[in-house]
Amino acid sequence: DPLPPFTLPPPQSPLTPPRTGGERQFAQYRASHSGHRGLFRKMAAADTRPWAEQFKLSNMMAQEYENGMTGAQAVSKMKDLLGAKGCWPPDRESVPEEWEEALLLRFFIGFKKNPEAGSEAFSDMLAWRKDNGINEIRQKLLNGLEPSEFPRYETVRRFYPLLKCGKDKHGCPILITLTGLIDPAKLVKAVTLEEMRLYIIYEMESKFIKLCQLTAETGIFYRALEVHDLKGLGMHHLATGPVGLLRKVVKEVSANYVEISDKVFILNCPFASVVRTVLRQVVPARSQHKLAVHGALAEYEQVLGERAAREEYHECLFGGDMPEGLNAEEGDSMDKWPKVTVPARDKKVVEHALTAGQTVLWNVCPEALDVGCSLVFNSKSGKSTRVFEGEERIASLQRGSFQAEEDGKLVLALDNSFSYLKQKVVLYDFEILNVQQLSTQSSEDLSAAAGP
């Protein structure tokens, strides 16, 4: 059979550059929605209103968004959808009446201005707060709990430094993360995953309360100015195990605090121009205005000054001293813990004697790779009590406490029989808590110190 005729495509005009994939998709979408040309003109036009007018809550409720709905219509639809699921009206500890409209609007905007997706996420948030006792944390914060009183504050801040500073010219709180000083590998050895998770929840809830209160008091949709300083970024940030654990915690918590960032500055970014190009390809267009990537101080000093007075930031961003405690050279207490090496295809046991009435704070942490772990107390009378047994192999710090009702031995069993090639090094510590210390600590304090 003869071949079908081959036709060359029309030549590309030298004056018209080839379209990118994103441009082609946008053109196809615009062609399929030809009745909404006015909407696209509206999207393309820059909003020249003053900041306070743009983000006045009543204006945002009256504004028509890309899906053709106003903010008020979207919020009303979300209430109907939540009501159909039995989630509306919500408990007022989670959603105070004066926060109601702004909170729903955050979820509507944060979930691509889709009321169905926003209401689903809102429902999940309400369940998450109930399951994790978040309203009890909120009450502590409203009663004046200081950041220095957050669980494991001094330890976590050394390896995950978050700074609360002043306000920008609009009154948005400035929150600084010294990302380059975050040490995931040390963090997962210094605190348990649950302690880390609890600390991040306290930080996020504290930030969220401040933004909601500002919005309720002023009628302006407040979000935070976030600054991430990458100075100090190194190979230790590529430790996939610890980074993965940290990312998992942050992702879970952040999913329940939506649309709380107005602008994100990334400072001291290596190859900033390359990163900016990559972000333009991977970050949705609707969110690109929130991100600003800068290199060294000479590049970002003026930009920060345009957003807020210098004294509203921390001086460490401008070459000044680091916050107190982050320059400390003292060695970690973990450096003094005993170590045990568990060969491949082998097991090791460590024993520690306890007398009746003693309470021990125990810690176990693999140095690098995962290992099977169980902790059992064997009394002299022959009774065996399981203190800890991981459902899976452990790869980060595990911590707890145990009080002996009679004399016996605490037996730590480490199992590396599943590994054919690699030995495992495990650090451990048994600290006896004296009677005086226990009498001055509440059970809640001891629980926070001991972890799960």
Side-chain angles (χ1 to χ4, degrees), residues 7 85 87-88 96 139 164-165 167 230 245 325 381:
T7 305
K85 296 179 66 174
C87 300
W88 197 268
Q139 196 57 51
K164 298 177 184 65
C165 297
K167 295 181 179 180
L230 305 190
L245 294 172
S381 64

Side-chain angles (χ1 to χ4, degrees), residues 332-348:
D332 300 327
S333 60
M334 187 180 293
D335 293 340
K336 302 174 184 177
W337 290 2
K339 296 182 181 180
V340 58
T341 300
V342 189
R345 306 189 190 187
D346 202 357
K347 299 179 181 180
K348 287 284 185 178

Side-chain angles (χ1 to χ4, degrees), residues 221-233:
F221 191 80
Y222 269 100
R223 290 172 288 192
L225 169 62
E226 294 194 12
V227 180
H228 293 263
D229 185 3
L230 305 190
K231 188 175 182 179
L233 202 69

Side-chain angles (χ1 to χ4, degrees), residues 3 5 53 65-66 73 83 120 125 149 179 292 300 338 352 445:
L3 292 173
E53 282 297 309
Y65 293 90
E66 293 93 317
Q73 290 171 337
E120 185 70 27
M125 178 271 293
E149 300 174 285
T179 310
Y300 67 74
H352 187 81
D445 293 334

Side-chain angles (χ1 to χ4, degrees), residues 30-46:
R30 182 170 57 183
S32 64
H33 293 73
S34 56
H36 298 290
R37 289 195 179 92
L39 175 60
F40 284 99
R41 284 195 296 271
K42 186 186 301 183
M43 289 168 58

Side-chain angles (χ1 to χ4, degrees), residues 117-136:
S119 61
E120 185 70 27
F122 196 92
S123 171
D124 292 342
M125 178 271 293
L126 294 175
W128 178 80
R129 295 187 68 88
K130 182 179 179 181
D131 293 343
N132 292 276
I134 308 300
N135 288 332
E136 296 173 14

